[in-house]
Each structure stands twice: as C-alpha cells, then as structure tokens.
Amino acid sequence: MMLCKQLNEKLDDYMDGTLDETEMAVLQSHAESCESCQQTLKSAQRLRKLLQDCPVPMPDAAYFDRALAQATRVSTSHQRNRWIMTGFGGALAAGLIAWIIGGVLLKTPDLPDSDASIPGVVIALEVPYTVNLVFSSATELDGAVLTVSLPPGVEIEGFAGQREITWITSLKAGKNILPLTLIATTAHGGELLARLEHDNRDRTFRIRVTVT
Amino acid sequence: MDISDHNRNAIFERLLRPYLERLYRLAYRLTGSKAEAEDLFQDVLVKLFGKLEDLAAIEEPGSWTSRVMFHHFIDNRRRFARQRLLSVDESQLPQKSIESLPGVDDPEQDAERLDDIIRLGKALAELSDDHRLVVLLHDTEGYKLTEIQAITGDPVGTLKSRLHRARARLRALLSAGATF
C-alpha cells in the first residue's frame, strides 16, 4: 500500500523516467506484482497516447499561401491607406473620392459614429469603384478592429471571393479615411457593413450598395 | 539582411514559411476551434509582417513568432472567445481523423477511440486555461518546458507543477468515467 501511494504520487516522474535509479527500480518491481498499480499505469499511458493523438484539423497548403498573401496585402494596403488623417483635398486631388460617409461624433464617444440614415452608393457591374469611408473619432484609438462584411457578389479589389475582411488598425483623433475599391461581380447588391471594435465596444456602419 | 519595399513580401514569406504549420497548430491549441484559429493566425501574420525587421534579426524565429501569437491571443482573448478546446462532436472531427490515428484499423477500436477522444475533449474543457495549454503544448505538441517558458514567460518550475496538476486532474476526470 505504501508503494502504491508512492507510485501514485510520482506517476509523472515514473513515466517520464526522471526518478533516481534506486527509486525507479523499487517502483518498477512493485508495479510488476501489483494489479492495481498496473491498471493505474495502463490508464496513464493510455491518456498520454490519446493526448499525443489529439487531432488538429490542418488546412491545406493553399491556405498558407493565401494567408501569407493576404497578410502582405492587408499590411501594404494598410500602410498605404493608413486611416489618413485627412486629407480631403489630397484625396480628391488623387481622384480617389467617389463617395464619402460623413462622420458625426457622439456626445460621449470612444468610437465614432456615422449618420443615422443609411447612405448608398451605385456601382456598375465589373467596374472598380473606390468608396472612401470616413470615420471621425474624438480620441485616438489604438488597436481598433475593423471588419468589413460585403453583400453577395461584391468584392474588395485584391480580396477576391472573400465576404468578410478584418483589419487591425489605429484611428487618430479627427477624420480618418479608408478607401475601399469595390467590384461587383453580380447584379445583386445589398448592404455593406463596416464594424469597428475597440476596447469591448463596437459600432456598425451600413452602406447600401446598388449594382447597375 | 537588406529589406526594401520591393523585396519585403518575398523576405517575409521566406522567413516565415518554415514556421507556418507550427504557428497554425498553436493557434488551434489556443483557440480550440478552426474558425478562431484561422482568425488568430491571420491576425498574427499581419502583425508579423509589420515587424519584418525584427523577424529578420531574431535568432529563433519559431519561439519569437509563437510568443507574438500567444500575447496577441491574451490581449484579444475576449475576441477569440473559446467555444471548445477539442472537437467533441463527431461531425466536428477532421475527416479520416480516426483512420489517421496510428495502429487503428478495427471498427470497434475506432469507435472506442473516438469515444475516448470525445471524453478527453470534455475533460480538457474542464481544465483551467493555463492547465489546458501546458498539457496540450507539452504532451500533445511535444514542446519542451523551456520552449513553453519562452512563449508564456512562466518559470519552468511553475510550468512543471502546473503540468503535473493538469495531468492528475485529467486522470481524475477520466477515471470518474469508470472504464478509462
């Protein structure tokens, strides 16, 4: 019984082979003749084997290619467009602004808000169209998460086939612009959602996309 | 390493590719679901691309990238809400997972093994986050305690006792189910 208790207490070290030689020999000898300890060891070995075999559903190799490509695209695009603290004149001069959501500050905001009415944009099938989202923020927001959800048949240039894209970004105090180049692949249209999250708070912007 | 605007993407890919599978597995072990793992993995890749100069200068990119992922997960834990650690529903298991387990080719054994995996998943879900992580990284992924220390920053002694407690708790939970 004494050795049974000892084996139970030192089961991990016993199985890891980290006990000193004398103690190991004593416990081994005991285990050979003790049915209860044999059962304990068998269960422990079974658990280890199961843990070793715990599956991870691995994605295919193409997933890693896509993830790498998206990481560089998002970062590059992010650097290029980095929530430009505007900027309207510059953006207009560059011919980027096709449409703007006007930002309206809330009274006690950490997060910016948009107009209550749902703005809309009309785009032609298969013709790239750059929409500038303008966010006004009362304070600097570091580590904000922006998720853009697209209606069926509308894509963001460079992100073919993706209905939802997430950026991690920072907003400066004031106006911040995010240009998105939309391409309609079908005539459905629908609502584009831009969800901004920061510090456990979030705000969702809705944009009606009509395809002609 | 000479990093310029035109070769950033190529350097990033070359440096990171050897560690992608390990990183993805870590993402899955941290989040416990494919969807959350993919979100975490993608987030971290974006973050690492922004730290390309650091990545190029680091001696052990494997540990460093794992550490970046771990801390990103901790900082955003609420966003990566844990649904489950292991798939506990047969339909959630990867296709052919049972067939891929070594030494199993008998239908009865398959069923028994699947039952064991499901029970193990439930038992793991009972552990605290710290205990679950150390047992999965050490016993499942084969990390050494020093490698886990490099990721989490916890001392090896702490990790070792945590691992022993986690295993003991797992054994207790599983033996409570009688036949294990």
Side-chain angles (χ1 to χ4, degrees):
Chain A
M1 288 296 284
M2 185 84 169
L3 287 173
C4 291
K5 188 174 177 221
Q6 192 176 339
L7 183 67
N8 267 299
E9 284 173 354
K10 303 203 169 174
L11 190 55
D12 279 329
D13 290 324
Y14 180 88
M15 292 181 64
D16 291 339
T18 54
L19 292 174
D20 67 56
E21 279 184 31
T22 313
E23 193 172 17
M24 191 76 184
V26 169
L27 289 180
Q28 262 176 344
S29 168
H30 166 72
E32 282 168 12
S33 59
C34 175
E35 200 171 319
S36 170
C37 284
Q38 281 174 17
Q39 186 58 42
T40 300
L41 284 169
K42 195 175 162 191
S43 292
Q45 281 159 354
R46 192 170 167 193
L47 170 60
R48 289 232 175 154
K49 185 75 176 64
L50 262 185
L51 281 167
Q52 284 167 7
D53 292 340
C54 270
V56 170
M58 290 299 287
D60 57 28
Y63 166 80
F64 291 120
D65 291 338
R66 286 196 302 275
L68 277 171
Q70 185 167 329
T72 55
R73 264 202 308 268
V74 169
S75 299
T76 305
S77 156
H78 190 61
Q79 283 178 342
R80 189 174 62 240
N81 299 325
R82 193 187 300 256
W83 295 94
I84 311 155
M85 188 174 171
T86 184
F88 288 119
L92 278 168
L96 286 174
I97 290 188
W99 175 69
I100 294 173
I101 304 170
V104 178
L105 297 180
L106 294 175
K107 286 179 182 172
T108 56
D110 280 342
L111 293 174
D113 199 2
S114 66
D115 280 329
S117 59
I118 299 178
V121 59
V122 179
I123 64 178
L125 197 62
E126 304 286 356
V127 179
Y129 188 96
T130 299
V131 172
N132 281 0
L133 306 189
V134 181
F135 297 86
S136 292
S137 181
T139 57
E140 188 172 299
L141 302 179
D142 192 33
V145 177
L146 175 73
T147 301
V148 174
S149 304
L150 298 158
V154 176
E155 297 178 348
I156 292 178
E157 193 174 51
F159 297 88
Q162 293 190 43
R163 294 281 305 282
E164 190 170 287
I165 298 168
T166 297
W167 286 264
I168 297 173
T169 188
S170 299
L171 273 70
K172 296 179 183 301
K175 286 189 169 58
N176 301 261
I177 298 180
L178 175 68
L180 295 177
T181 301
L182 302 179
I183 302 174
T185 56
T186 69
H188 292 104
E191 224 173 55
L192 180 154
L193 304 180
R195 177 184 168 91
L196 191 61
E197 301 169 73
H198 183 264
D199 196 22
N200 217 24
R201 302 179 61 172
D202 64 84
R203 194 76 75 202
T204 299
F205 301 80
R206 295 171 186 278
I207 301 150
R208 194 174 51 255
V209 179
T210 305
V211 182
T212 59
Chain B
M1 192 175 297
D2 185 22
I3 301 175
S4 61
D5 281 349
H6 73 275
N7 67 3
R8 290 183 73 81
N9 293 10
I11 290 176
F12 178 66
E13 184 173 337
R14 181 163 57 80
L15 290 174
L16 202 60
R17 190 171 282 281
Y19 306 102
L20 289 179
E21 192 167 317
R22 174 187 160 108
L23 265 182
Y24 183 88
R25 294 183 72 90
L26 177 61
Y28 188 82
R29 295 305 181 197
L30 286 166
T31 60
S33 80
K34 187 169 183 286
E36 300 291 341
E38 289 185 359
D39 284 352
L40 174 59
F41 183 76
Q42 190 68 64
D43 274 10
V44 169
L45 257 54
V46 171
K47 196 165 191 170
L48 290 172
F49 188 67
K51 295 172 177 281
L52 181 57
E53 282 74 12
D54 294 335
L55 180 63
I58 214 81
E59 278 188 22
E60 291 184 28
S63 292
W64 184 74
T65 51
S66 297
R67 192 159 59 244
V68 170
M69 175 173 279
F70 177 75
H71 288 291
H72 184 77
F73 172 74
I74 295 297
D75 292 345
N76 296 274
R77 197 187 282 255
R78 277 178 298 211
R79 192 154 67 86
F80 296 108
R82 181 182 297 280
Q83 298 299 317
R84 66 178 74 82
L85 198 79
L86 278 181
S87 305
V88 293
D89 174 345
E90 186 174 0
S91 65
Q92 300 281 342
L93 288 169
Q95 283 191 340
K96 297 185 178 175
S97 67
I98 299 302
E99 289 84 343
S100 71
L101 296 176
V104 175
D105 54 10
D106 177 276
E108 278 187 27
Q109 280 188 342
D110 282 359
E112 190 181 333
R113 205 163 183 78
L114 176 59
D115 183 52
D116 283 347
I117 288 175
I118 292 170
R119 290 174 57 211
L120 177 62
K122 288 176 178 170
L124 282 164
E126 294 279 311
L127 299 184
S128 69
D129 288 351
D130 287 346
H131 283 195
R132 185 169 42 233
L133 185 63
V134 75
V135 82
L136 280 174
L137 291 188
H138 189 275
D139 289 354
T140 302
E141 294 297 325
Y143 285 53
K144 294 174 185 164
L145 289 175
T146 49
E147 291 178 301
I148 303 174
Q149 179 190 29
I151 294 171
T152 65
D154 296 319
V156 167
T158 303
L159 291 170
K160 187 173 181 185
S161 61
R162 193 178 291 163
L163 177 62
H164 286 195
R165 285 201 300 275
R167 286 167 172 169
R169 176 80 177 130
L170 275 182
R171 285 196 293 268
L173 284 166
L174 290 167
S175 65
T179 56
F180 193 85

